[in-house]
Amino acid sequence: MPELPEVETVCRILSPDLLGCRIERVTLNRKDVIAHPRASVFAEALCPKTATAITRRGKYIQILFDDRARLIVHLRMTGCLLILPREAPQEKHTHVILDLSSGLQMRYIDPRRFGRLWFFRAGEEDRLSGIHKLGMEPLDPELCAASLGKTLLRRKKMLKECLLDQQIVAGIGNIYADEILFAARLSPKRPACSLKADELARLAAAIPACIDEYIHKNQTTREDYIQSQGRSYRSTPFLKIYGHAGDPCPLCGKPLVQAVIAQRSSVFCEACQR
Ligand SMILES: [Zn+2]
């Protein structure tokens, strides 16, 4: 599942082919991926709008238009946005096609169909997509030991669960939660309220450092992105913890252990992460 660094990559890759283009036609092969408004209204409302910006909030992609309307996309498990020539063969599971004035098409492809698209007119309030509930952005200077402490020290839940909670910090999923907790040398099982000041400071530093590192590692070319259908992430070979259960800990050499925490599989070092 794409997390913040992967969604950031998608925005950066799509940006040059999308910005300045007008949407001329919308084809909906599957209407159930459109969360708002009704599918027929969605298709009509998008034409003809010109995309002026593509941004990310948490794991959401936001495409802004010239009249201040916006299209929001959440890729969830297997969603993918590709910009391709009109004549490019249509992949299986292509649910939405936007014909762009450049002659290219932006296509939404999603084999498992958990991803969703929302369209909001200028000034229309978004209480539906979930963006309004998101917590701090990992790279926002607002995220610091003090602001994290304000939220975490009130919670008895385990740290891993808190990191996955999008209302605390946005954009972190199972993979980067494990990497962040290793970088901060904190056990995923620690109750959030038990963190000491130095531990909060380590966590507050590890979150942006990790996310920034993997955004950088994820950089890919447009060609590779299209080739892999936006699904082969460059950062995977660089992950230190996730997917490495049983491997030696990069710090102490003891085997990394795997446990189910908050219904998610977690990998960590029992010696280094306390
Ligand atoms: Zn270790």
Side-chain angles (χ1 to χ4, degrees), residues 182 249-254 256 269-273:
F182 177 73
C249 163
L251 285 178
C252 73
K254 294 198 177 114
L256 295 170
C269 174
E270 286 177 315
C272 297
Q273 295 175 249

Side-chain angles (χ1 to χ4, degrees), residues 163-210:
L163 281 187
L164 295 178
D165 183 342
Q166 302 300 298
Q167 298 188 31
I168 301 176
V169 181
I172 300 170
N174 207 31
I175 297 174
Y176 297 109
D178 282 3
E179 298 295 325
I180 287 165
L181 288 170
F182 177 73
R185 287 176 285 117
L186 292 168
S187 166
K189 295 179 184 172
R190 269 288 287 281
C193 58
S194 73
L195 290 185
K196 312 248 177 351
D198 60 321
E199 294 173 325
L200 267 174
R202 290 210 304 268
L203 184 60
I207 292 172
C210 241

Side-chain angles (χ1 to χ4, degrees), residues 16-37:
D17 283 331
L18 181 65
L19 300 193
C21 289
R22 201 172 55 249
I23 297 173
E24 297 191 323
R25 208 168 92 108
V26 177
T27 309
L28 294 178
N29 293 333
R30 288 289 308 218
K31 293 177 178 162
D32 50 359
V33 296
I34 309 300
H36 175 79

Side-chain angles (χ1 to χ4, degrees), residues 11-254:
C11 292
R12 291 182 187 188
I13 288 283
L14 297 181
S15 174
D17 283 331
L18 181 65
L19 300 193
C21 289
R22 201 172 55 249
I23 297 173
E24 297 191 323
R25 208 168 92 108
V26 177
T27 309
L28 294 178
N29 293 333
R30 288 289 308 218
K31 293 177 178 162
D32 50 359
V33 296
I34 309 300
H36 175 79
R38 274 205 327 273
S40 55
V41 180
F42 175 93
E44 248 175 53
L46 267 171
C47 309
K49 297 211 184 297
T50 302
T52 54
I54 177 164
T55 62
R56 180 199 54 73
R57 175 80 171 96
K59 300 179 205 169
Y60 292 82
I61 296 164
Q62 304 187 86
I63 297 169
L64 307 175
F65 298 104
D66 48 347
D67 67 347
R68 306 179 69 89
R70 59 215 191 276
L71 174 67
I72 294 171
V73 184
H74 199 303
L75 304 172
R76 298 265 153 74
M77 301 290 286
T78 53
C80 150
L81 283 172
L82 293 181
I83 297 184
L84 297 167
R86 267 171 216 189
E87 58 276 15
Q90 211 179 104
E91 296 290 335
K92 217 174 153 186
H93 311 295
T94 300
H95 307 313
V96 182
I97 301 172
L98 307 181
D99 279 358
L100 305 176
S101 51
S102 58
L104 298 172
Q105 287 182 334
M106 183 163 83
R107 300 180 186 174
Y108 178 71
I109 304 160
D110 190 353
R112 296 186 64 183
R113 268 197 345 267
F114 290 127
R116 288 292 177 268
L117 289 80
W118 297 259
F119 175 81
F120 296 99
R121 295 172 194 278
E124 185 180 354
E125 198 186 0
D126 170 13
R127 309 293 292 177
L128 299 170
S129 70
I131 284 190
H132 65 290
K133 292 186 193 156
L134 291 180
M136 292 179 280
E137 275 293 316
L139 298 177
D140 191 323
E142 180 206 351
L143 191 151
C144 61
S147 57
L148 263 186
K150 238 184 225 171
T151 326
L152 293 182
L153 295 177
R154 287 193 284 114
R155 298 186 191 233
K156 291 182 190 148
K157 282 183 186 169
M158 289 183 275
L159 270 184
K160 172 74 181 253
E161 197 174 352
C162 290
L163 281 187
L164 295 178
D165 183 342
Q166 302 300 298
Q167 298 188 31
I168 301 176
V169 181
I172 300 170
N174 207 31
I175 297 174
Y176 297 109
D178 282 3
E179 298 295 325
I180 287 165
L181 288 170
F182 177 73
R185 287 176 285 117
L186 292 168
S187 166
K189 295 179 184 172
R190 269 288 287 281
C193 58
S194 73
L195 290 185
K196 312 248 177 351
D198 60 321
E199 294 173 325
L200 267 174
R202 290 210 304 268
L203 184 60
I207 292 172
C210 241
I211 293 296
D212 190 56
E213 178 186 352
Y214 287 103
I215 286 176
H216 188 73
K217 294 271 197 315
N218 253 328
Q219 282 176 6
T220 183
T221 62
R222 190 176 166 277
E223 289 67 31
D224 283 356
Y225 176 81
I226 290 172
Q227 184 76 34
S228 75
Q229 288 223 349
R231 281 193 201 100
S232 132
Y233 300 119
R234 286 288 176 97
S235 64
T236 311
F238 301 100
L239 297 172
K240 299 177 184 88
I241 301 301
Y242 181 87
H244 288 281
D247 290 354
C249 163
L251 285 178
C252 73
K254 294 198 177 114

